[in-house]
Amino acid sequence: MRTTTTVRKSGGSAITTLPPFISNFLKVEIGDELSWEIRAGEVILTASKTRRKRTKLNDLLDKFEATQNTQSLEDEQWLNSAPQGRELV
């Protein structure tokens, strides 16, 4: 397999894209690391899967609870209002 890409400037770096058939062949995803090596005038690209941080339920719950601590004025008024009908209290 052979393809051609164009080198572009991005900030102070020179970048190029990874064509889909290569990323599919190497099974790389966004966030994975690639290792570049130059050997005998050729560039060798090796994919190394990065370990993604596993999200823990407690971390998600902490974030959820942090957003639940704030109540709007409308929420406060509803919580402090008297029953309007035959609600069980």
Side-chain angles (χ1 to χ4, degrees), residues 15-59:
I15 64 169
T16 189
T17 56
L18 190 60
F21 78 90
I22 293 176
S23 60
N24 291 339
F25 179 79
L26 294 175
K27 296 181 179 144
V28 294
E29 300 173 0
I30 303 301
D32 288 346
E33 291 183 357
L34 300 174
S35 138
W36 297 73
E37 181 182 349
I38 298 175
R39 195 181 315 151
E42 294 183 337
V43 175
I44 299 167
L45 184 63
T46 307
S48 58
K49 289 284 192 181
T50 57
R51 294 194 62 153
R52 297 195 187 351
K53 181 181 174 192
R54 301 221 36 165
T55 305
K56 296 180 182 173
L57 179 59
N58 286 336
D59 295 337

Short mmCIF file of all heavy atoms in Angstrom, two decimals, residues 15-59:
data_model
loop_
_atom_site.label_atom_id
_atom_site.label_comp_id
_atom_site.label_asym_id
_atom_site.label_seq_id
_atom_site.Cartn_x
_atom_site.Cartn_y
_atom_site.Cartn_z
N ILE A 15 2.97 19.26 9.93
CA ILE A 15 2.05 18.14 10.19
C ILE A 15 1.58 17.53 8.88
O ILE A 15 1.64 18.14 7.83
CB ILE A 15 0.83 18.59 11.02
CG1 ILE A 15 -0.02 19.60 10.24
CG2 ILE A 15 1.25 19.16 12.36
CD1 ILE A 15 -1.37 19.89 10.87
N THR A 16 1.09 16.32 8.98
CA THR A 16 0.43 15.64 7.87
C THR A 16 -0.69 14.79 8.45
O THR A 16 -0.73 14.55 9.65
CB THR A 16 1.43 14.79 7.05
OG1 THR A 16 0.77 14.33 5.86
CG2 THR A 16 1.96 13.61 7.84
N THR A 17 -1.58 14.35 7.61
CA THR A 17 -2.70 13.54 8.08
C THR A 17 -2.39 12.06 7.93
O THR A 17 -1.52 11.66 7.15
CB THR A 17 -3.99 13.86 7.28
OG1 THR A 17 -3.72 13.65 5.90
CG2 THR A 17 -4.44 15.28 7.52
N LEU A 18 -3.12 11.26 8.68
CA LEU A 18 -2.99 9.81 8.60
C LEU A 18 -4.19 9.32 7.79
O LEU A 18 -5.32 9.43 8.23
CB LEU A 18 -3.01 9.22 10.01
CG LEU A 18 -2.66 7.77 10.19
CD1 LEU A 18 -1.25 7.49 9.69
CD2 LEU A 18 -2.78 7.38 11.64
N PRO A 19 -3.97 8.83 6.58
CA PRO A 19 -5.09 8.39 5.74
C PRO A 19 -5.90 7.28 6.42
O PRO A 19 -5.34 6.47 7.18
CB PRO A 19 -4.41 7.86 4.48
CG PRO A 19 -3.08 8.52 4.45
CD PRO A 19 -2.69 8.69 5.89
N PRO A 20 -7.21 7.25 6.17
CA PRO A 20 -8.08 6.27 6.84
C PRO A 20 -7.66 4.83 6.66
O PRO A 20 -7.72 4.05 7.60
CB PRO A 20 -9.45 6.51 6.20
CG PRO A 20 -9.41 7.89 5.66
CD PRO A 20 -7.98 8.16 5.30
N PHE A 21 -7.18 4.44 5.47
CA PHE A 21 -6.83 3.03 5.30
C PHE A 21 -5.62 2.65 6.16
O PHE A 21 -5.50 1.52 6.60
CB PHE A 21 -6.62 2.66 3.82
CG PHE A 21 -5.31 3.07 3.22
CD1 PHE A 21 -4.22 2.22 3.27
CD2 PHE A 21 -5.17 4.31 2.60
CE1 PHE A 21 -3.01 2.59 2.70
CE2 PHE A 21 -3.97 4.67 2.03
CZ PHE A 21 -2.88 3.82 2.08
N ILE A 22 -4.75 3.61 6.44
CA ILE A 22 -3.60 3.32 7.31
C ILE A 22 -4.05 3.24 8.76
O ILE A 22 -3.67 2.32 9.49
CB ILE A 22 -2.48 4.37 7.13
CG1 ILE A 22 -1.88 4.24 5.73
CG2 ILE A 22 -1.41 4.23 8.20
CD1 ILE A 22 -0.84 5.26 5.38
N SER A 23 -4.87 4.20 9.20
CA SER A 23 -5.33 4.14 10.60
C SER A 23 -6.19 2.90 10.83
O SER A 23 -6.12 2.30 11.90
CB SER A 23 -6.09 5.42 10.97
OG SER A 23 -7.22 5.60 10.15
N ASN A 24 -6.97 2.50 9.83
CA ASN A 24 -7.76 1.27 9.97
C ASN A 24 -6.85 0.04 10.02
O ASN A 24 -7.06 -0.86 10.82
CB ASN A 24 -8.75 1.12 8.81
CG ASN A 24 -9.85 2.16 8.86
OD1 ASN A 24 -10.14 2.74 9.90
ND2 ASN A 24 -10.46 2.42 7.72
N PHE A 25 -5.83 0.01 9.16
CA PHE A 25 -4.89 -1.11 9.13
C PHE A 25 -4.14 -1.23 10.46
O PHE A 25 -3.96 -2.32 10.99
CB PHE A 25 -3.92 -0.95 7.97
CG PHE A 25 -2.91 -2.05 7.86
CD1 PHE A 25 -3.25 -3.27 7.32
CD2 PHE A 25 -1.61 -1.85 8.33
CE1 PHE A 25 -2.31 -4.28 7.22
CE2 PHE A 25 -0.68 -2.87 8.24
CZ PHE A 25 -1.03 -4.09 7.68
N LEU A 26 -3.70 -0.08 11.00
CA LEU A 26 -2.96 -0.09 12.26
C LEU A 26 -3.88 -0.16 13.48
O LEU A 26 -3.40 -0.33 14.60
CB LEU A 26 -2.09 1.18 12.36
CG LEU A 26 -0.96 1.30 11.35
CD1 LEU A 26 -0.27 2.66 11.50
CD2 LEU A 26 0.04 0.18 11.54
N LYS A 27 -5.19 -0.01 13.24
CA LYS A 27 -6.19 -0.02 14.32
C LYS A 27 -5.90 1.06 15.36
O LYS A 27 -5.95 0.82 16.56
CB LYS A 27 -6.28 -1.39 14.97
CG LYS A 27 -6.76 -2.45 14.03
CD LYS A 27 -6.87 -3.80 14.69
CE LYS A 27 -7.40 -4.77 13.64
NZ LYS A 27 -6.88 -6.08 13.73
N VAL A 28 -5.56 2.26 14.86
CA VAL A 28 -5.33 3.38 15.78
C VAL A 28 -6.59 4.24 15.86
O VAL A 28 -7.36 4.33 14.90
CB VAL A 28 -4.12 4.25 15.37
CG1 VAL A 28 -2.84 3.48 15.47
CG2 VAL A 28 -4.29 4.83 13.99
N GLU A 29 -6.78 4.82 17.01
CA GLU A 29 -7.90 5.70 17.26
C GLU A 29 -7.37 7.04 17.73
O GLU A 29 -6.19 7.15 18.10
CB GLU A 29 -8.81 5.09 18.33
CG GLU A 29 -9.39 3.74 17.94
CD GLU A 29 -10.15 3.09 19.08
OE1 GLU A 29 -10.22 3.69 20.17
OE2 GLU A 29 -10.65 1.98 18.88
N ILE A 30 -8.22 8.04 17.74
CA ILE A 30 -7.84 9.35 18.24
C ILE A 30 -7.33 9.19 19.68
O ILE A 30 -7.97 8.54 20.50
CB ILE A 30 -9.04 10.32 18.21
CG1 ILE A 30 -9.61 10.44 16.80
CG2 ILE A 30 -8.66 11.68 18.78
CD1 ILE A 30 -8.64 10.94 15.77
N GLY A 31 -6.18 9.77 19.97
CA GLY A 31 -5.59 9.67 21.31
C GLY A 31 -4.52 8.60 21.43
O GLY A 31 -3.77 8.59 22.39
N ASP A 32 -4.46 7.67 20.46
CA ASP A 32 -3.41 6.65 20.49
C ASP A 32 -2.08 7.29 20.13
O ASP A 32 -2.02 8.32 19.48
CB ASP A 32 -3.72 5.52 19.50
CG ASP A 32 -4.86 4.63 19.95
OD1 ASP A 32 -5.25 4.72 21.13
OD2 ASP A 32 -5.37 3.87 19.12
N GLU A 33 -1.01 6.66 20.55
CA GLU A 33 0.33 7.16 20.26
C GLU A 33 0.94 6.42 19.10
O GLU A 33 0.70 5.22 18.91
CB GLU A 33 1.24 7.01 21.50
CG GLU A 33 0.85 7.92 22.63
CD GLU A 33 1.80 7.81 23.81
OE1 GLU A 33 2.73 6.97 23.76
OE2 GLU A 33 1.60 8.55 24.76
N LEU A 34 1.71 7.16 18.30
CA LEU A 34 2.47 6.58 17.20
C LEU A 34 3.94 6.82 17.45
O LEU A 34 4.33 7.87 17.92
CB LEU A 34 2.07 7.23 15.87
CG LEU A 34 0.61 7.09 15.46
CD1 LEU A 34 0.34 7.91 14.21
CD2 LEU A 34 0.25 5.64 15.23
N SER A 35 4.76 5.84 17.13
CA SER A 35 6.20 5.97 17.28
C SER A 35 6.81 6.05 15.89
O SER A 35 6.47 5.27 15.01
CB SER A 35 6.68 4.77 18.09
OG SER A 35 7.83 4.25 17.62
N TRP A 36 7.67 7.06 15.68
CA TRP A 36 8.32 7.29 14.39
C TRP A 36 9.79 6.89 14.50
O TRP A 36 10.45 7.21 15.47
CB TRP A 36 8.26 8.77 14.03
CG TRP A 36 6.89 9.31 13.84
CD1 TRP A 36 5.97 9.56 14.82
CD2 TRP A 36 6.26 9.67 12.62
NE1 TRP A 36 4.82 10.07 14.28
CE2 TRP A 36 4.98 10.15 12.93
CE3 TRP A 36 6.67 9.65 11.30
CZ2 TRP A 36 4.09 10.60 11.95
CZ3 TRP A 36 5.78 10.11 10.34
CH2 TRP A 36 4.51 10.56 10.66
N GLU A 37 10.27 6.20 13.49
CA GLU A 37 11.67 5.79 13.47
C GLU A 37 12.19 5.95 12.04
O GLU A 37 11.47 5.68 11.08
CB GLU A 37 11.78 4.33 13.92
CG GLU A 37 13.17 3.80 13.96
CD GLU A 37 13.19 2.32 14.37
OE1 GLU A 37 12.16 1.78 14.81
OE2 GLU A 37 14.26 1.72 14.22
N ILE A 38 13.40 6.43 11.93
CA ILE A 38 14.03 6.53 10.61
C ILE A 38 15.12 5.48 10.55
O ILE A 38 16.02 5.45 11.39
CB ILE A 38 14.62 7.94 10.38
CG1 ILE A 38 13.49 8.97 10.43
CG2 ILE A 38 15.35 8.00 9.05
CD1 ILE A 38 13.96 10.40 10.34
N ARG A 39 14.99 4.58 9.56
CA ARG A 39 15.95 3.50 9.40
C ARG A 39 16.26 3.35 7.91
O ARG A 39 15.35 3.16 7.11
CB ARG A 39 15.33 2.20 9.94
CG ARG A 39 16.33 1.12 10.17
CD ARG A 39 15.74 -0.19 10.68
NE ARG A 39 14.76 -0.04 11.75
CZ ARG A 39 13.75 -0.90 11.95
NH1 ARG A 39 13.59 -1.93 11.14
NH2 ARG A 39 12.92 -0.72 12.94
N ALA A 40 17.53 3.50 7.57
CA ALA A 40 18.00 3.37 6.18
C ALA A 40 17.22 4.28 5.24
O ALA A 40 16.81 3.88 4.16
CB ALA A 40 17.91 1.91 5.74
N GLY A 41 16.95 5.52 5.70
CA GLY A 41 16.27 6.49 4.85
C GLY A 41 14.78 6.31 4.74
O GLY A 41 14.12 7.00 3.98
N GLU A 42 14.21 5.38 5.49
CA GLU A 42 12.77 5.16 5.47
C GLU A 42 12.19 5.52 6.83
O GLU A 42 12.84 5.37 7.86
CB GLU A 42 12.44 3.70 5.15
CG GLU A 42 12.84 3.28 3.77
CD GLU A 42 12.44 1.84 3.46
OE1 GLU A 42 12.25 1.05 4.42
OE2 GLU A 42 12.31 1.53 2.28
N VAL A 43 10.96 5.98 6.80
CA VAL A 43 10.26 6.30 8.04
C VAL A 43 9.40 5.09 8.40
O VAL A 43 8.61 4.60 7.58
CB VAL A 43 9.37 7.55 7.88
CG1 VAL A 43 8.56 7.79 9.13
CG2 VAL A 43 10.21 8.76 7.53
N ILE A 44 9.56 4.62 9.62
CA ILE A 44 8.78 3.48 10.10
C ILE A 44 7.85 4.00 11.18
O ILE A 44 8.28 4.59 12.17
CB ILE A 44 9.70 2.37 10.64
CG1 ILE A 44 10.62 1.90 9.51
CG2 ILE A 44 8.89 1.24 11.24
CD1 ILE A 44 11.75 1.05 9.95
N LEU A 45 6.57 3.77 10.96
CA LEU A 45 5.53 4.25 11.86
C LEU A 45 4.94 3.06 12.59
O LEU A 45 4.49 2.10 11.97
CB LEU A 45 4.45 4.96 11.04
CG LEU A 45 3.31 5.62 11.76
CD1 LEU A 45 3.82 6.75 12.65
CD2 LEU A 45 2.32 6.18 10.74
N THR A 46 4.98 3.09 13.91
CA THR A 46 4.47 1.98 14.71
C THR A 46 3.40 2.51 15.65
O THR A 46 3.59 3.52 16.32
CB THR A 46 5.61 1.36 15.55
OG1 THR A 46 6.69 1.03 14.69
CG2 THR A 46 5.14 0.11 16.27
N ALA A 47 2.28 1.81 15.69
CA ALA A 47 1.18 2.20 16.57
C ALA A 47 1.35 1.52 17.91
O ALA A 47 1.65 0.34 17.99
CB ALA A 47 -0.15 1.80 15.95
N SER A 48 1.18 2.28 18.97
CA SER A 48 1.18 1.70 20.31
C SER A 48 -0.07 2.21 21.01
O SER A 48 -0.26 3.40 21.17
CB SER A 48 2.44 2.09 21.08
OG SER A 48 2.54 3.49 21.19
N LYS A 49 -0.92 1.29 21.37
CA LYS A 49 -2.18 1.65 22.02
C LYS A 49 -1.89 2.29 23.37
O LYS A 49 -1.10 1.78 24.15
CB LYS A 49 -3.06 0.41 22.24
CG LYS A 49 -3.64 -0.15 20.98
CD LYS A 49 -4.77 0.73 20.54
CE LYS A 49 -5.58 0.07 19.45
NZ LYS A 49 -6.64 0.89 18.99
N THR A 50 -2.54 3.41 23.61
CA THR A 50 -2.41 4.04 24.92
C THR A 50 -3.50 3.48 25.82
O THR A 50 -4.59 3.14 25.36
CB THR A 50 -2.56 5.57 24.83
OG1 THR A 50 -3.81 5.87 24.23
CG2 THR A 50 -1.46 6.18 24.00
N ARG A 51 -3.20 3.38 27.06
CA ARG A 51 -4.21 2.90 28.01
C ARG A 51 -5.08 4.07 28.40
O ARG A 51 -4.62 5.06 28.92
CB ARG A 51 -3.52 2.31 29.23
CG ARG A 51 -2.74 1.06 28.88
CD ARG A 51 -2.39 0.34 30.09
NE ARG A 51 -3.65 -0.05 30.73
CZ ARG A 51 -3.78 -1.10 31.52
NH1 ARG A 51 -2.76 -1.83 31.76
NH2 ARG A 51 -4.93 -1.39 32.06
N ARG A 52 -6.32 3.94 28.11
CA ARG A 52 -7.26 4.98 28.46
C ARG A 52 -7.61 4.88 29.94
O ARG A 52 -7.74 3.78 30.47
CB ARG A 52 -8.52 4.86 27.62
CG ARG A 52 -8.21 5.06 26.14
CD ARG A 52 -9.43 5.30 25.36
NE ARG A 52 -9.39 5.35 23.93
CZ ARG A 52 -8.39 5.38 23.11
NH1 ARG A 52 -7.19 5.31 23.54
NH2 ARG A 52 -8.53 5.45 21.81
N LYS A 53 -7.74 6.03 30.58
CA LYS A 53 -8.09 6.03 31.99
C LYS A 53 -9.51 5.52 32.14
O LYS A 53 -10.43 5.99 31.47
CB LYS A 53 -7.99 7.45 32.55
CG LYS A 53 -8.31 7.53 34.01
CD LYS A 53 -8.23 8.94 34.52
CE LYS A 53 -8.70 8.97 35.96
NZ LYS A 53 -8.92 10.31 36.43
N ARG A 54 -9.68 4.53 32.99
CA ARG A 54 -11.00 3.98 33.24
C ARG A 54 -11.74 4.89 34.19
O ARG A 54 -11.22 5.27 35.23
CB ARG A 54 -10.87 2.59 33.83
CG ARG A 54 -10.11 1.69 32.87
CD ARG A 54 -10.57 0.35 32.69
NE ARG A 54 -11.99 0.19 32.74
CZ ARG A 54 -12.60 -0.89 32.33
NH1 ARG A 54 -11.88 -1.85 31.84
NH2 ARG A 54 -13.89 -1.03 32.40
N THR A 55 -12.94 5.25 33.82
CA THR A 55 -13.76 6.11 34.66
C THR A 55 -14.40 5.27 35.74
O THR A 55 -14.95 4.20 35.47
CB THR A 55 -14.85 6.79 33.82
OG1 THR A 55 -14.21 7.49 32.75
CG2 THR A 55 -15.66 7.75 34.64
N LYS A 56 -14.34 5.76 36.96
CA LYS A 56 -14.93 5.05 38.09
C LYS A 56 -16.28 5.67 38.41
O LYS A 56 -16.49 6.88 38.26
CB LYS A 56 -14.01 5.13 39.30
CG LYS A 56 -12.68 4.44 39.07
CD LYS A 56 -11.80 4.53 40.28
CE LYS A 56 -10.46 3.85 39.99
NZ LYS A 56 -9.51 4.06 41.05
N LEU A 57 -17.20 4.84 38.86
CA LEU A 57 -18.55 5.31 39.18
C LEU A 57 -18.52 6.41 40.23
O LEU A 57 -19.25 7.40 40.12
CB LEU A 57 -19.41 4.13 39.66
CG LEU A 57 -20.84 4.48 40.05
CD1 LEU A 57 -21.59 5.11 38.88
CD2 LEU A 57 -21.57 3.25 40.55
N ASN A 58 -17.68 6.28 41.24
CA ASN A 58 -17.62 7.30 42.29
C ASN A 58 -17.20 8.66 41.73
O ASN A 58 -17.69 9.69 42.17
CB ASN A 58 -16.67 6.87 43.41
CG ASN A 58 -17.28 5.79 44.28
OD1 ASN A 58 -18.50 5.65 44.34
ND2 ASN A 58 -16.44 5.02 44.94
N ASP A 59 -16.28 8.68 40.75
CA ASP A 59 -15.88 9.94 40.13
C ASP A 59 -17.05 10.59 39.41
O ASP A 59 -17.25 11.79 39.48
CB ASP A 59 -14.72 9.72 39.16
CG ASP A 59 -13.45 9.25 39.86
OD1 ASP A 59 -13.31 9.51 41.08
OD2 ASP A 59 -12.60 8.64 39.19
#
